């Protein structure tokens, strides 16, 4: 089964409390999502492979480590995942970006796909799927399946807040995928919203409510 990594860095937890506050405005909310994405990216890439190289400093030869292995792609789930992209590419500027458009049907809570555009070499890249919310897990599971259908082998999932139900679904459907979250909240409510959560992430990032 994929490992669930709950990231408890104090800076991350402090910024998460800003997101949860119902009085946080759009500007501050967006900034916090970006900063959280950057901090989470740092933690989720901890095990990337490196190789030794020799670098000439002005003084002597230094043995250093640089990234090795496959290149990365970041795949935000639209819309809310877009809010995490800038934070991610501030640490991994050469990552390519794929987009998957999914929304939850308000009645059934099932994901409905409306857009997809992947980099042509996506199968040769390691992928980090980003979306602030993992609620029922339907959207993330469908997105991961979609990316696997494009030939990707190594996929990580990064969510700011998860419900236990969403974690369980992704672990069942995709036992090879590691999940990185800043919090696993209590539960889902009758509308499949995360409790206590932060409300509707897309609406709060884009100011649509
Ligand atoms: C939200 C969120 C996830 C999804 C999580 O998106 O950003 O994509 O719900 O729910 P799930 O785990 O139950 O599938 P939403 O469908 O509201 O679309 P939006 O980002 O366009 O607002
Ligand atoms: N999507 C959101 O934006 N928030 C939730 O709590 C659940 C799904």
């Amino acid at each position: 089964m994929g490992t669930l990594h709950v990231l408890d860095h104090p800076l991350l937890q402090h910024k998460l409390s800003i997101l949860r506050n119902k009085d946080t405005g759009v500007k501050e909310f967006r900034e916090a999502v970006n900063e959280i994405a950057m901090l989470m990216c740092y933690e989720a890439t901890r095990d990337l492979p490196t190789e030794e190289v020799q670098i000439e400093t002005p003084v002597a030869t230094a043995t250093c480590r640089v990234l090795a292995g496959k290149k990365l792609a970041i795949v935000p789930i639209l819309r809310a995942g877009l809010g995490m992209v800038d934070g991610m590419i501030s640490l991994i500027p050469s990552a390519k970006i794929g987009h998957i458009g999914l929304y939850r049907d308000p009645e059934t809570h099932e994901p409905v796909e409306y857009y997809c555009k992947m980099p042509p070499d996506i199968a040769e890249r390691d992928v980090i799927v980003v979306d602030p919310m993992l609620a029922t897990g339907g959207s993330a599971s469908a997105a991961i399946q979609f990316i696997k259908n494009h030939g990707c082998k190594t996929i990580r999932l990064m969510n700011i807040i998860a419900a236990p139900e969403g974690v369980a679904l992704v672990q069942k459907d995709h036992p090879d995928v590691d999940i990185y979250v800043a919090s696993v909240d209590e539960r889902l409510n009758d509308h499949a919203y995360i409790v206590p959560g932060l409300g509707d992430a897309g609406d709060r990032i884009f100011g649509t409510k």
Side-chain angles (χ1 to χ4, degrees):
M1 179 178 301
T3 306
L4 172 66
H5 304 260
V6 183
L7 308 176
D8 62 356
H9 193 289
L11 290 176
L12 205 44
Q13 294 303 317
H14 180 86
K15 290 174 195 298
L16 178 56
S17 71
I18 295 171
L19 292 190
R20 289 193 192 275
N21 189 332
K22 66 178 171 43
D23 295 326
T24 298
V26 172
K27 176 177 179 288
E28 215 188 337
F29 191 90
R30 257 184 220 146
E31 286 168 359
V33 167
N34 250 314
E35 289 164 0
I36 287 172
M38 187 167 63
L39 293 167
M40 293 187 74
C41 179
Y42 180 77
E43 294 286 349
T45 51
R46 211 168 248 296
D47 62 346
L48 287 183
T50 57
E51 63 189 8
E52 227 171 66
V53 293
Q54 306 297 316
I55 299 282
E56 295 303 321
T57 81
V59 179
T61 303
T63 302
C64 304
R65 303 208 68 84
V66 295
L67 288 173
K70 287 194 190 169
K71 293 191 172 144
L72 292 169
I74 296 156
V75 178
I77 301 178
L78 309 184
R79 292 176 300 167
L82 284 176
M84 298 174 73
V85 170
D86 282 355
M88 301 288 294
I89 57 176
S90 62
L91 289 191
I92 317 172
S94 57
K96 288 191 177 173
I97 317 284
H99 294 86
I100 296 186
L102 293 172
Y103 70 88
R104 295 198 316 176
D105 182 290
E107 301 299 324
T108 65
H109 308 137
E110 289 293 319
V112 180
E113 188 192 317
Y114 62 89
Y115 183 76
C116 177
K117 184 85 179 170
M118 291 293 141
D121 61 349
I122 189 82
E124 280 88 60
R125 290 177 176 258
D126 290 345
V127 173
I128 307 177
V129 177
V130 296
D131 189 331
M133 309 305 274
L134 180 65
T136 65
S139 304
S141 183
I144 292 166
Q145 188 55 54
F146 193 84
I147 294 163
K148 284 183 175 174
N149 294 346
H150 276 70
C152 294
K153 298 275 181 294
T154 306
I155 301 170
R156 294 160 214 246
L157 174 64
M158 187 187 293
N159 307 106
I160 299 177
I161 300 180
E165 294 89 332
V167 172
L169 185 77
V170 172
Q171 287 185 326
K172 175 172 80 66
D173 291 352
H174 303 288
D176 53 320
V177 171
D178 275 10
I179 307 172
Y180 298 82
V181 300
S183 175
V184 179
D185 278 12
E186 285 165 30
R187 61 185 170 86
L188 295 177
N189 67 15
D190 293 344
H191 304 287
Y193 269 73
I194 300 175
V195 181
L198 52 72
D200 188 304
D203 282 344
R204 296 197 67 188
I205 291 169
F206 296 107
T208 42
K209 210 164 193 178

